[in-house]
Amino acid sequence: MSDVTSPAVVDDKTNIRTSEATADVLELLVKQGHFVTQLGAFQAAAMLALRKELPAVDIPSAGGLNYNQGSFKQVIDFLTWYVPTPTPARLLEQLGNAGAAYIGEKVRSGGYTLTEIFEIAQPDATA
């Protein structure tokens, strides 16, 4: 009996890359103390893109950071289940770069906090 719970992964990426612009945004988020690592910031950006239904975009062949697929095992497993897709690492790369571009645009234009960008509910101070 075959396992039909997840699609077969075919021709997926073994390394997940960022664009140079994405790497700059991730570095800024770490420097500002929002994330401990750029890897964590990239994962959050990917989940933001998924939540906001931002279009997954390919990135230029040169640039940014390079991560091994194994660094994202839980997120890749989640994408395989949630989307589902036979190329979850490729999708993660595309979503992470799209989400970071979105965050970068908001942060650079000013007047936005990460709480607002991620639409994190704040506790009601009057309750």
Side-chain angles (χ1 to χ4, degrees):
M1 194 168 189
S2 66
D3 177 21
V4 293
T5 58
S6 63
V9 176
V10 292
D11 194 31
D12 203 7
K13 299 180 77 69
T14 56
N15 291 306
I16 295 167
R17 288 187 324 94
T18 71
S19 69
E20 285 187 48
T22 297
D24 291 345
V25 170
L26 300 177
E27 182 180 354
L28 175 66
L29 293 173
V30 170
K31 281 183 179 178
Q32 290 179 345
H34 300 295
F35 295 93
V36 176
T37 65
Q38 292 178 343
L39 182 99
F42 185 79
Q43 291 177 101
M47 294 300 100
L48 178 67
L50 189 63
R51 180 170 184 248
K52 291 197 163 289
E53 299 180 0
L54 300 176
V57 295
D58 287 320
I59 61 167
S61 60
L65 305 168
N66 193 24
Y67 297 107
N68 182 284
Q69 182 188 106
S71 300
F72 298 99
K73 181 167 178 11
Q74 290 178 325
V75 176
I76 289 172
D77 288 349
F78 170 76
L79 287 174
T80 302
W81 167 80
Y82 185 76
V83 174
T85 177
T87 56
R90 184 176 307 279
L91 179 61
L92 175 60
E93 178 181 88
Q94 294 169 335
L95 290 173
N97 281 284
Y102 178 83
I103 293 168
E105 179 182 307
K106 297 290 185 185
V107 169
R108 287 186 180 112
S109 68
Y112 290 93
T113 66
L114 280 190
T115 300
E116 293 166 330
I117 293 169
F118 279 90
E119 298 175 6
I120 299 170
Q122 295 296 306
D124 186 2
T126 62

